[in-house]
Amino acid sequence: MAHIRIFDTTLRDGEQTPGVALNTAQKIEIAKQLARLNVDIIEAGFPITSQGDFEAVDRIAREVRGPTICALARTARADIERAAQALERAERARIHVFTSGSKIHLEHMLRKTEDEVVSASVESVRLAREYTDDVEFSAQDCTRSELEFLIRLYGEAIAAGATTVNVPDTVGYGMPEEYAALIRALRERVPGAAAVHFSTHCHDDLGLAVANSLAAVGAGATQVECTLNGLGERAGNAALEEVVMALETRKDVWGHWTQIATRELYRSSRMVSMMTGTAVPPNKAVVGDNAFAHESGIHQDGVIKALETYEIMSAETVGRSAGVLVMGKHSGRRAFRRTLEELGYGELADDTVNALFKAFKDLADRKSSVTSDDIRALVEVETARVPQTYVLEAVQFQSGTGMTPVATVRLSTDTGSYEEAATGDGPVDAVYRALERITQVPIALEGYELRSVGSGKDALGEVTVRVSSEGRAVHGRGLSTDVVEASARAYVDVLNKLAAGVARLAAPAVTTP
Ligand code: KIV
Ligand code: ZN
């Protein structure tokens, strides 16, 4: 029975999800949650790519304890030195050196011969070993590379000091059996293979990232690289929660273990969804809204009699609880704090709890029963809040069959309170036009999603918007029992993030795999 190491790359590959922008404070929050989740390794960023990435890795290395902190570097001296510098204060540091293995990449991207790739890799791994004993080596695009070249390249990297070798399916091209065969062949034929960890890094272009990662574990890989909610470049990476729960639920098949605190999975997923502005599809395995919902009468009847009739794992194992009534409008501050503690938010600062208590009271006035899911949603919004340059004071709208929707919005800033009205294609459009009139900030809406937190006529609506503004990409989120108001709040969240500089260039300066 082997320990399968979970290498989380949400903050590096996951941050390469189109439209995702995380600031340093958010990255630290997520890294702390990853530590609670007990991942083995956090890939915190790619320090050479920007000052922001450097700072995030540096702060995580200083402030997050438990997991090994890893930084990415190309096979170049400057990259490795910058990664090492960012990791200086880490409890345990790993440098992840990567190159490419396929002819397509060598010819068109690196413009290097095989010999040049091998010698740059060897030099870089040696240099990285001068800073840390924990060095990972990857060659992108292994599933489209020639086996003989990979055997040579990985053998040389191990001889130079690599302690983990990662075999990326960069373009999500591999099939499970094929990928398992590749891992097996490398483990058998690469000189020095027995002394190192083999790792998977699978992209999901054909929807096989998790299947391929598990197949590789079956072939002897002892590290899986993955991201929360499967975020990542293009179709994303293998979803951490799915890999972990597959290994856990089917121990009888895999016979291995991970050290993941599975009860932290749901909270981690929600935090990442919230901070990155990427909604989790309702039918997503393990963390989607419907993952433990039973709709048909036969299924409902079954689970009432015995949960295992239609559930292969329990909701509690992944940190979810039914949306039960936890509090009402007469509940006091002390009971509210205790509920937060029970939901795993015991560490919140007093002023955050005070702001949450006020939000809870406002909600309890508008909603007959406040559930644990509602409270989680309030916490997520409150803890992701940036300084409030703009405060939404009031929203009113009128719409109906055969009439043009019209909205009036009042917004305050430190220079005063402003009101505007506008018409639109629908009430949300009218609200957004009125907000644009007040602020004059040019905003192009690129994505809009609405989800209901829990069920019932008075359920909270959660709106996520993705926008671009003058070449900057940013997302916002808003909550309310009124979906038009939630939409307005999401837009105001965007305005506040733009004002606080929490946005990223729509086209990043350095692109990575
Ligand atoms: O997909 C990929 O090949 C990568 C490497 C840097 C590991 O992300
Ligand atoms: Zn990748």
Side-chain angles (χ1 to χ4, degrees):
M1 192 154 171
H3 171 192
I4 305 300
R5 283 147 183 85
I6 299 297
F7 175 115
D8 179 275
T9 183
T10 306
L11 296 176
R12 199 277 297 168
D13 215 320
E15 221 227 349
Q16 292 169 216
T17 307
V20 166
L22 291 168
N23 62 23
T24 301
Q26 291 173 318
K27 287 184 182 177
I28 293 169
E29 266 309 293
I30 292 175
K32 287 185 175 162
Q33 178 58 27
L34 289 170
R36 280 191 285 271
L37 185 60
N38 212 21
V39 303
D40 299 83
I41 302 116
I42 296 173
E43 188 164 54
F46 192 176
I48 192 81
T49 57
S50 69
Q51 182 60 21
D53 242 51
F54 176 86
E55 272 166 24
V57 178
D58 175 63
R59 293 272 308 274
I60 290 169
R62 286 167 197 267
E63 294 177 32
V64 178
R65 292 292 170 255
T68 296
I69 310 299
C70 173
L72 188 65
R74 289 168 297 194
T75 52
R77 173 173 285 275
D79 280 43
I80 293 161
E81 287 174 349
R82 196 76 174 137
Q85 196 186 352
L87 291 169
E88 248 163 34
R89 304 291 290 275
E91 196 178 21
R92 278 182 293 281
R94 171 178 296 190
I95 298 178
H96 179 184
V97 176
F98 78 100
T99 183
S100 284
S102 69
K103 280 209 158 64
I104 308 173
H105 278 215
L106 265 58
E107 276 169 24
H108 301 292
M109 212 170 64
L110 299 186
R111 303 224 163 89
K112 280 188 177 153
T113 64
E114 290 186 349
D115 286 347
E116 285 167 340
V117 167
V118 171
S119 81
S121 300
V122 166
E123 262 177 49
S124 303
V125 170
R126 281 205 190 117
L127 178 62
R129 275 301 296 259
E130 288 178 20
Y131 296 102
T132 170
D133 289 342
D134 188 348
V135 173
E136 174 167 330
F137 175 76
S138 295
Q140 290 177 82
D141 207 13
C142 280
T143 47
R144 295 190 301 168
S145 303
E146 280 174 16
L147 180 62
E148 296 309 316
F149 179 56
L150 291 183
I151 291 170
R152 175 178 168 213
L153 181 59
Y154 279 110
E156 297 273 6
I158 293 171
T163 45
T164 296
V165 290
N166 182 39
V167 184
D169 181 12
T170 306
V171 290
Y173 180 72
M175 294 288 127
E177 284 182 7
E178 199 179 37
Y179 189 58
L182 173 61
I183 300 283
R184 219 172 277 120
L186 292 172
R187 287 186 64 229
E188 278 164 16
R189 297 188 48 204
V190 170
V196 299
H197 285 287
F198 271 78
S199 166
T200 76
H201 178 108
C202 298
H203 280 268
D204 208 29
D205 300 65
L206 294 173
L208 291 169
V210 172
N212 284 342
S213 306
L214 293 170
V217 166
T222 48
Q223 174 177 289
V224 177
E225 300 197 357
C226 41
T227 55
L228 284 160
N229 302 338
L231 291 185
E233 195 73 47
R234 304 183 312 282
N237 290 66
L240 181 150
E241 61 279 6
E242 295 179 20
V243 170
V244 166
M245 289 317 291
L247 290 171
E248 176 71 26
T249 310
R250 297 306 311 272
K251 255 198 190 104
D252 57 323
V253 171
W254 305 109
H256 300 312
W257 59 282
T258 73
Q259 65 175 33
I260 295 300
T262 59
R263 284 173 189 272
E264 293 289 334
L265 281 172
Y266 186 59
R267 182 176 169 192
S268 309
S269 157
R270 294 286 311 143
M271 181 187 281
V272 166
S273 164
M274 179 76 202
M275 290 192 178
T276 57
T278 47
V280 173
N283 62 336
K284 166 86 178 58
V286 184
V287 292
D289 280 352
N290 298 346
F292 294 91
H294 302 279
E295 176 70 21
S296 93
I298 296 176
H299 287 220
Q300 287 175 350
D301 183 52
V303 292
I304 288 166
K305 289 177 176 144
L307 272 180
E308 59 270 32
T309 51
Y310 286 101
E311 281 190 5
I312 56 167
M313 55 194 161
S314 78
E316 284 76 18
T317 316
V318 301
R320 306 180 65 156
S321 52
V324 290
L325 169 71
V326 288
M327 306 206 77
K329 69 198 265 183
H330 302 298
S331 307
R333 190 179 297 263
R334 199 175 300 157
F336 181 69
R337 196 180 248 290
R338 204 175 43 243
T339 305
L340 287 175
E341 280 162 15
E342 279 164 17
L343 292 174
Y345 299 111
E347 79 289 356
L348 293 175
D350 286 346
D351 50 350
T352 310
V353 175
N354 292 342
L356 279 168
F357 185 62
K358 183 177 174 310
F360 156 70
K361 282 287 183 188
D362 291 346
L363 182 59
D365 276 341
R366 300 167 80 171
K367 195 168 183 290
S368 56
S369 59
V370 179
T371 68
S372 42
D373 281 349
D374 292 334
I375 294 185
R376 273 201 198 92
L378 292 179
V379 174
E380 288 165 0
V381 168
E382 189 57 40
T383 51
R385 210 182 273 289
V386 293
Q388 302 290 284
T389 310
Y390 299 93
V391 177
L392 184 68
E393 290 190 333
V395 190
Q396 280 178 348
F397 60 91
Q398 268 186 311
S399 76
T401 316
M403 71 175 281
T404 305
V406 54
T408 307
V409 174
R410 197 164 67 245
L411 197 65
S412 68
T413 71
D414 54 3
T415 55
S417 187
Y418 305 88
E419 194 169 298
E420 276 290 354
T423 57
D425 293 338
V428 173
D429 188 42
V431 166
Y432 285 6
R433 283 175 196 235
L435 282 165
E436 193 165 4
R437 276 197 187 151
I438 296 176
T439 60
Q440 300 289 311
V441 178
I443 284 180
L445 188 63
E446 288 182 350
Y448 175 97
E449 270 157 38
L450 168 65
R451 94 172 180 115
S452 144
V453 179
S455 53
K457 285 203 296 289
D458 60 356
L460 268 179
E462 184 184 77
V463 171
T464 307
V465 292
R466 266 186 302 110
V467 311
S468 63
S469 175
E470 297 177 323
R472 291 176 298 164
V474 70
H475 73 270
R477 198 168 273 209
L479 270 183
S480 172
T481 47
D482 177 323
V483 294
V484 178
E485 185 183 320
S487 307
R489 291 194 181 283
Y491 193 102
V492 173
D493 190 33
V494 160
L495 290 168
N496 282 319
K497 283 181 175 153
L498 288 169
V502 183
R504 83 182 216 178
L505 294 177
V510 178
T511 52
T512 54

